[in-house]
Amino acid sequence: MTYVYPVISRRAGGVSIGINLNPNNACNWRCIYCQVPNLSRGTAPAIDLAKLEAELRALLHEIVYGDFMQRQVPAEARHLHDIALSGNGESTSAREFEQVIELLGRVKADFELPEALKLVLITNGSLIDRDSVQRGLSRMATLNGEVWFKLDSVTREGRQLINNTRMSLKKMRRNLQLSASLCPTWLQTCVFQIDGMPPSRNESEAYLRFIEEFLSEGGALEGVLLYGLARPSLQPEASRLTKIRQEWMEAFSEQIRRRGLAVKLNP
C-alpha cells in the first residue's frame, strides 16, 4: 500500500492504523533520531485521495470482518486503538490535509469500530498556523481526535541539534496554543543520550519552566507522552545516540507531574 499501514504500537498499546501522507520521505524537519530512510527536506506530494480511501477501507475490512488480528497480532494487543496520521514526514504539509481528515471521518462512520477509537495526528506543530490545518484540527476534535505535538527541546540550541529546525520558541508556543484550543493536545517528547550524556540540567529546567509558563497563561494540555529510543536512527548522527536510563526517565516524569500534567512513559 502507498498510504496505509498497520503497526503494533508500544505507545498506543494496541494496533494502530498508520496514514502516511509523506511516501516521498520528505519532511520540513530532520530529527536526528528519525527512523525514515533517505530522509530529505521537503513537503508531502499530492495525495491521491481515492487511493487512500480504498486502502483504508481494505485494511479496516480485514481488521473488523477478517482474521487479520488472529493472523498478525499477539493476543495481548488484539484491539484497534487508533488511526494515526504518522508517516515519513510532516503530515500537515500535505495540501489535502483538511480533505484527508474529512475522508477519515467518512470512512470511520462506515465501519463497526470501537466507540473509543482515536484519530491521532503526530506532528512537529510547525504548520498549525495554516488555516486549512486549523480547520482539519477542528474537524478532528469531533472525531475523538487528539494531537501529539512534538516538543523535544525548548532551547534554540536543542531544537537545532535534535530537530534541525530554526523555528522560534515564540512560534512554537503560539502553535501549541492554537492546537490545544482546537483539539485535545499532548506534548510528545523523545529523550535520549547524545555522546553518552543525557539532557543537561539547563535543558531539563528550561522544559519544565516552559510547561509552568504555558499552563499559568491558561494553556490546556492533556499531558506529556515521554518516550525513549525504540529503534535505531537512520540519520548520520545515529552512532552518537543511546537509550537513556530508566531511572532518569522516571525522575523526569515525576518532575513533570509536579507541574500538574499527566505523563505516559514509554522508556
Side-chain angles (χ1 to χ4, degrees):
M1 293 190 181
T2 300
Y3 301 111
V4 179
Y5 62 97
V7 63
I8 301 173
S9 170
R10 67 189 182 112
R11 281 187 282 173
V15 174
S16 175
I17 295 178
I19 307 294
N20 180 15
L21 301 185
N22 304 79
N24 58 349
N25 294 359
C27 187
N28 60 342
W29 287 17
R30 190 190 69 78
C31 300
I32 61 176
Y33 54 80
C34 186
Q35 297 134 11
V36 174
N38 304 312
L39 183 68
S40 62
R41 292 278 190 171
T43 61
I47 305 301
D48 184 336
L49 294 169
K51 183 175 178 61
L52 169 57
E53 181 168 351
E55 291 182 358
L56 179 57
R57 288 183 181 276
L59 181 56
L60 277 173
H61 190 275
E62 285 296 309
I63 290 173
V64 176
Y65 305 116
D67 61 353
F68 175 87
M69 291 291 197
Q70 290 70 32
R71 288 187 295 107
Q72 302 287 349
V73 182
E76 66 275 11
R78 285 177 187 164
H79 67 276
L80 182 59
H81 183 271
D82 61 49
I83 300 173
L85 288 135
S86 171
N88 293 2
E90 176 51 41
S91 299
T92 60
S93 69
R95 292 184 180 275
E96 300 87 353
F97 178 77
E98 182 183 2
Q99 295 166 271
V100 169
I101 301 301
E102 289 293 343
L103 182 158
L104 297 180
R106 184 170 65 251
V107 173
K108 192 179 173 196
D110 287 345
F111 285 83
E112 297 174 6
L113 298 172
E115 188 175 337
L117 183 73
K118 289 283 186 183
L119 178 58
V120 177
L121 168 65
I122 301 177
T123 176
N124 63 31
S126 61
L127 304 175
I128 286 176
D129 51 348
R130 291 183 175 179
D131 290 342
S132 60
V133 175
Q134 292 174 47
R135 289 193 296 270
L137 295 188
S138 294
R139 178 66 173 125
M140 276 185 61
T142 70
L143 298 169
N144 198 28
E146 63 184 31
V147 177
W148 295 4
F149 190 112
K150 183 187 297 292
L151 182 68
D152 296 326
S153 173
V154 299
T155 70
R156 178 178 299 179
E157 299 78 15
R159 290 193 303 280
Q160 289 180 352
L161 173 64
I162 297 171
N163 309 121
N164 279 272
T165 178
R166 296 184 180 276
M167 180 174 159
S168 71
L169 184 61
K170 181 178 180 181
K171 180 176 180 180
M172 184 165 63
R173 181 185 287 109
R174 184 171 64 248
N175 282 9
L176 180 59
Q177 289 169 336
L178 275 172
S179 177
S181 71
L182 296 168
C183 189
T185 297
W186 291 77
L187 292 179
Q188 60 152 351
T189 300
C190 185
V191 290
F192 48 89
Q193 296 188 143
I194 302 178
D195 300 327
M197 298 297 293
S200 68
R201 183 174 179 179
N202 179 61
E203 279 284 339
S204 299
E205 290 181 348
Y207 182 98
L208 295 169
R209 192 162 54 248
F210 176 88
I211 288 175
E212 290 176 343
E213 293 172 354
F214 187 83
L215 295 177
S216 69
E217 293 167 359
L221 294 171
E222 301 300 301
V224 176
L225 306 170
L226 189 66
Y227 66 105
L229 298 178
R231 296 181 294 274
S233 165
L234 293 180
Q235 305 311 308
E237 298 86 353
S239 63
R240 301 177 59 195
L241 313 182
T242 52
K243 285 179 69 72
I244 205 162
R245 291 182 300 109
Q246 173 88 13
E247 296 80 6
W248 193 101
M249 296 278 278
E250 290 176 352
F252 193 50
S253 296
E254 182 56 31
Q255 292 184 69
I256 295 171
R257 291 188 184 100
R258 289 175 186 169
R259 270 72 182 179
L261 285 180
V263 179
K264 294 183 180 179
L265 177 60
N266 283 283

